[in-house]
Amino acid sequence: MMQESPRALFGVFLTVALIYGLIFMERTAPGLVTPELLHLYRVSPAVLSLMTLAQYFVYATLQVPVTWVGQRWPAEALLVAGAVLDGLGTVLFGLSHTFLTVVLSRGVVGLGDALIWLNIVQVLARRFSPGIFGRIIGFVAMTGNIGAIFGTFPLAVWIQGSGWRTPFLAMGGFLIAMAAVSWGVFFRWAPAGATARVRRGLPWQAIWQKRPRLWGPVLGHWGMMGPFLGFVSLLAVPYLETVHHVDRVTASLYMAAGLLGSLLGGPLGGILADRFGVVWPYRFVAVENALAWMIWTWGSSWFPSWALLTLFGLTGLANGASVLTFAVTRHFFPLEEQGLAAGLANTAGFLAAVLVPLGMGLWISLGGRYASMIGVAGLASLLGVVGSFLLPAEPQTRPAS
């Protein structure tokens, strides 16, 4: 890491933060237009879930390959490529006139998403000292959640006024423009003291030998992140419109409550981990999340507005606090294994974000009620509890970091 000027550091930070906020905004935005897509393409909820499957399945399956590619290519170049692909996919989504094009567009977005977070970490790690790196990453993560909040009520108002295509075209175009700007920023202020990239394989054998320990963060991330992200990304608006008879703008306020919970969950989880270690906060969040989903399943069709807002907030809080997964992998795995362990856990979370809305869509397509589909998320969240209790109370020896 080189000593860069405050102006250079701020320019890199601001560029990364804006990109990440836009990425999060467009990641969950299709959930606001689910009713239009169901009507326009005359597909069932199960078939429509292919849209989410394409995005998150591509993201999930590429986590480990991206870790390998990151050892061979500069993180800055991969981050720019990810932003361009995200922008192109979002523009294609706005231009789509067939359902196949919709699915392909979200697959392109998933490909771009896969290149974003791991490379953001690398870009910032090369420029900021360890003493402030954690805070910088925390602020960038917060901008992602702020972007997601802008993708609820403000975006719903925009869609209501202009139709759904214009906002997606604008978001995609701005992402491509930000990719071009970031290329100039990153390479104008490239760290001159960067070391040569080390080409080495991934530690599969070492991870395989520790698989009992790996199940903890894998199942934990599955249960804490996947159900909320999958539900909000696809079926939250149809659920609220059908079961609770609210319009899209009002439905977006419920989603905003969940994403506000996500905004608070990360810092709160970090504070608890600093105070009590990583294991007990991880278990607490997993149990809180499962209880919230189970209570929601029980009263899904008749809970009053304040209770629904609370449940959106609590499940969102767990989604935000799922960043503890990466603290868990850092705590239980040595340095050379942490990247692969974190990638596998992140893969599990996004696979859950694929399978939960797919299961909900199948339930509706087979004649089930929107109110009872919440039980699919409840069942998925139980695996998070199982995973959290698979972690030992304390590691026998803390890995080097």
Side-chain angles (χ1 to χ4, degrees), residues 13-242:
F13 166 76
L14 184 62
T15 302
V16 167
L18 285 173
I19 289 175
Y20 199 54
L22 282 167
I23 294 294
F24 253 71
M25 183 176 180
E26 64 80 28
R27 180 178 290 176
T28 57
L32 286 176
V33 297
T34 298
E36 281 89 344
L37 299 178
L38 288 169
H39 174 75
L40 180 61
Y41 300 113
R42 302 186 183 280
V43 294
S44 67
V47 173
L48 186 64
S49 69
L50 293 174
M51 174 182 74
T52 304
L53 188 151
Q55 179 180 354
Y56 293 146
F57 184 76
V58 169
Y59 182 108
T61 54
L62 287 178
Q63 286 297 284
V64 173
V66 165
T67 303
W68 180 82
V69 171
Q71 296 177 351
R72 289 155 173 80
W73 291 88
E76 291 84 356
L78 294 174
L79 178 55
V80 170
V84 170
L85 287 168
D86 258 298
L88 289 174
T90 305
V91 169
L92 184 59
F93 182 82
L95 295 173
S96 296
H97 289 283
T98 67
F99 184 65
L100 176 61
T101 312
V102 168
V103 173
L104 289 175
S105 72
R106 300 314 290 177
V108 174
V109 168
L111 179 59
D113 280 351
L115 295 169
I116 297 298
W117 178 250
L118 293 178
N119 290 302
I120 281 178
V121 172
Q122 292 301 314
V123 166
L124 296 177
R126 294 174 65 195
R127 291 169 168 83
F128 291 91
S129 67
I132 62 170
F133 176 72
R135 279 171 284 170
I136 294 297
I137 281 289
F139 282 126
V140 172
M142 286 181 65
T143 63
N145 285 308
I146 291 170
I149 291 172
F150 274 99
T152 57
F153 177 73
L155 184 59
V157 173
W158 189 3
I159 290 172
Q160 186 162 294
S162 66
W164 67 274
R165 295 186 185 275
T166 300
F168 283 93
L169 293 173
M171 284 190 291
F174 194 56
L175 258 173
I176 295 171
M178 279 302 306
V181 170
S182 67
W183 179 272
V185 169
F186 294 150
F187 292 97
R188 178 183 177 186
W189 291 313
T195 58
R197 307 193 73 76
V198 178
R199 300 193 177 204
R200 59 179 182 268
L202 298 176
W204 286 106
Q205 184 176 357
I207 288 290
W208 177 251
Q209 291 171 349
K210 296 182 178 70
R211 58 191 181 278
R213 185 183 297 176
L214 181 64
W215 279 115
V218 165
L219 293 178
H221 209 56
W222 169 289
M224 285 186 268
M225 190 196 79
F228 177 82
L229 182 60
F231 176 59
V232 168
S233 296
L234 188 67
L235 291 171
V237 171
Y239 160 76
L240 289 165
E241 289 182 341
T242 303

Side-chain angles (χ1 to χ4, degrees), residues 273-286:
D274 287 343
R275 177 66 177 85
F276 300 105
V278 296
V279 176
W280 285 107
Y282 203 60
R283 291 175 178 173
F284 174 80
V285 172

